[in-house]
Amino acid sequence: MVWFDLVTPKSVMFFKNIIKMLEIKGQEVFVTARDGAGYSEIVELLRLHDIAFHTIGEFGGAMLEDKLKASIDRQFALMEFIKDKNVEKLVCLCSVDANRVAFGLGIPICNFYDIPLSDCGSDFKKALPQARLTLPLSTKAFRPYMVPSEIFERFSLEKEQIVQYDFLDPLIWLADFEPDRKYFEKMLLKYGLDLSKPLVIIREEEYKASYVMKKFPILYDGLKVLNEKLDANFIAIPRYEPEPLQELLPFVTVLQEKIIVQHLLAYADLFIGGGGTLNSEACYFGIPTISTRSFISHYDKLLIDEGLMKKADTLEELVELSIENIGKNTDAERLFAQMNLNLSSLVDEIIKV
């Protein structure tokens, strides 16, 4: 039995096709996830994509003490939940709670991770907490090609434990995705937006995550300026509770339900994001993308170097880049066409563990 612990929205998207392929190959799979006040995005995505799951534990919130308590409580709950199951291996995107439980119970661990450092170099002072607490426990670690193997080796892994895959993570769920213009228009009309205006999509940084030091005002202040300068629709995809974001930016349409957001991304005129996954997805569709993230990861650097994403570090840069690039799509095919998505090979590597 293969255990997946999905604790971020990205992990749902990343593993949904892997789970299906494992089941096709005759593997028994079960999924655990976490919920919590103000952080229901994971379970909403699981339901949207019709993935059966068990909710175990909660998201701890923004405070470190609350995170630690929620993590300890969840580890105990996970241990109690799986101890009588015939679990052969854990697969996850470096879920701290699941790693600790699996390691403690002697269950082999397959960790996938594309962001071991909050840095596009090799400064281990910038190693993310999740990486420190999980990668050294890996039986097998999977890394995308743009993250050097040496970084994974420095997490106490041997070379033979590290498996490289030759694509940017979002390709695993976007390669077979077909954008639907009717879906896009239906969603805009549902929120009373003018289809003749350009669309700017917004995503906040994960400011409650342990690897983000604080909530930066660049995005919020910059949007207020852009609202005065651009005659456009502004849609925000909330990361946490939608109400505070709507109150802060009353001119922005904040999505209230979980939708297949890729249909919106594919037809947007500009994407401004403080995270990683949706930024990468927007780049895949060739949408001009501006990152307001507080750091640059290895895959951020790849997208910036390829001219698919711009980095704004000040309010002035955000406004200038937005006005300069809105509606000017990029040649994303040049980068993504050369990537090798071999899902069957990845699944076989998991089965072999």
Side-chain angles (χ1 to χ4, degrees):
M1 184 180 294
V2 184
W3 169 29
F4 285 81
D5 190 43
L6 308 183
V7 296
T8 62
K10 177 186 172 177
S11 66
V12 176
M13 301 302 295
F14 188 86
F15 287 123
K16 64 185 182 73
N17 289 336
I18 289 177
I19 289 170
K20 290 176 184 176
M21 186 168 287
L22 279 168
E23 290 174 334
I24 289 171
K25 289 177 178 280
Q27 300 289 309
E28 189 177 357
V29 172
F30 78 98
V31 173
T32 54
R34 64 180 181 182
D35 202 351
Y39 196 65
S40 60
E41 190 173 8
I42 300 162
V43 297
E44 290 173 2
L45 265 179
L46 285 163
R47 293 184 183 115
L48 185 67
H49 292 283
D50 198 25
I51 299 172
F53 66 97
H54 305 272
T55 302
I56 310 291
E58 295 186 350
F59 172 63
M63 304 300 293
L64 290 178
E65 184 176 341
D66 295 336
K67 287 181 184 293
L68 178 58
K69 184 180 185 307
S71 179
I72 293 170
D73 290 345
R74 186 167 190 264
Q75 287 174 37
F76 182 78
L78 284 171
M79 180 187 69
E80 290 296 305
F81 182 75
I82 71 163
K83 66 181 182 181
D84 296 324
K85 291 181 169 53
N86 182 29
V87 180
E88 297 173 347
K89 66 202 72 172
L90 165 70
V91 184
C92 63
L93 287 181
C94 282
S95 162
V96 172
D97 301 335
N99 265 256
R100 182 64 191 92
V101 171
F103 184 78
L105 295 178
I107 297 169
I109 300 168
C110 296
N111 275 316
F112 286 73
Y113 213 41
D114 65 351
I115 185 168
L117 313 178
S118 61
D119 179 60
C120 56
S122 56
D123 184 352
F124 258 62
K125 294 189 296 295
K126 297 182 179 180
L128 294 190
Q130 288 87 343
R132 291 186 184 279
L133 294 170
T134 56
L135 284 178
L137 305 183
S138 305
T139 308
K140 188 174 286 188
F142 295 76
R143 68 169 183 90
Y145 72 96
M146 78 288 302
V147 181
S149 180
E150 293 79 13
I151 290 175
F152 277 67
E153 291 170 35
R154 287 181 64 188
F155 282 101
S156 304
L157 296 173
E158 301 294 340
K159 288 183 179 180
E160 60 266 23
Q161 291 179 277
I162 303 167
V163 178
Q164 174 180 306
Y165 54 91
D166 299 318
F167 58 89
L168 194 69
D169 282 12
L171 194 64
I172 203 169
W173 66 86
L174 292 177
D176 59 357
F177 176 77
E178 292 291 336
D180 185 342
R181 181 77 191 187
K182 290 182 179 179
Y183 186 104
F184 168 82
E185 293 180 356
K186 181 180 178 181
M187 289 308 304
L188 265 61
L189 291 172
K190 178 179 178 180
Y191 283 93
L193 299 177
D194 185 345
L195 296 179
S196 68
K197 292 183 178 182
L199 173 62
V200 180
I201 297 183
I202 304 134
R203 177 74 156 175
E204 296 175 282
E205 188 167 26
E206 295 167 286
Y207 60 84
K208 293 185 182 181
S210 57
Y211 55 84
V212 177
M213 298 306 295
K214 63 179 182 178
K215 186 174 180 178
F216 290 95
I218 294 171
L219 175 62
Y220 311 97
D221 294 344
L223 287 169
K224 293 172 184 175
V225 176
L226 286 172
N227 183 49
E228 297 175 356
K229 293 181 176 290
L230 295 176
D231 183 21
N233 296 315
F234 292 87
I235 289 183
I237 303 165
R239 194 178 289 278
Y240 306 109
E241 311 87 4
E243 292 80 11
L245 186 58
Q246 187 68 81
E247 186 175 331
L248 181 65
L249 302 170
F251 57 89
V252 171
T253 298
V254 180
L255 295 181
Q256 299 296 317
E257 76 269 50
K258 182 54 59 181
I259 66 168
I260 302 175
V261 73
Q262 290 76 19
H263 293 301
L264 298 191
L265 289 177
Y267 297 107
D269 296 279
L270 180 68
F271 182 85
I272 304 173
T277 303
L278 266 79
N279 288 35
S280 299
E281 289 183 90
C283 289
Y284 173 85
F285 291 118
I287 304 306
T289 301
I290 301 171
S291 173
T292 59
R293 204 177 207 177
S294 55
F295 60 90
I296 298 175
S297 70
H298 286 91
Y299 63 79
D300 290 330
K301 187 175 188 301
L302 171 68
L303 295 169
I304 291 169
D305 289 348
E306 292 290 335
L308 303 181
M309 185 166 73
K310 311 290 185 184
K311 180 73 167 66
D313 294 312
T314 66
L315 184 153
E316 292 76 18
E317 286 180 344
L318 175 57
V319 172
E320 182 179 347
L321 288 169
S322 297
I323 293 173
E324 285 180 358
N325 290 279
I326 188 169
K328 297 178 181 177
N329 282 28
T330 61
D331 181 16
E333 182 71 12
R334 178 172 44 84
L335 173 65
F336 287 96
Q338 64 188 11
M339 294 182 183
N340 178 27
L341 175 61
N342 191 335
L343 195 58
S344 181
S345 175
L346 282 183
V347 169
D348 288 342
E349 289 286 350
I350 291 171
I351 292 173
K352 285 189 296 185
V353 173

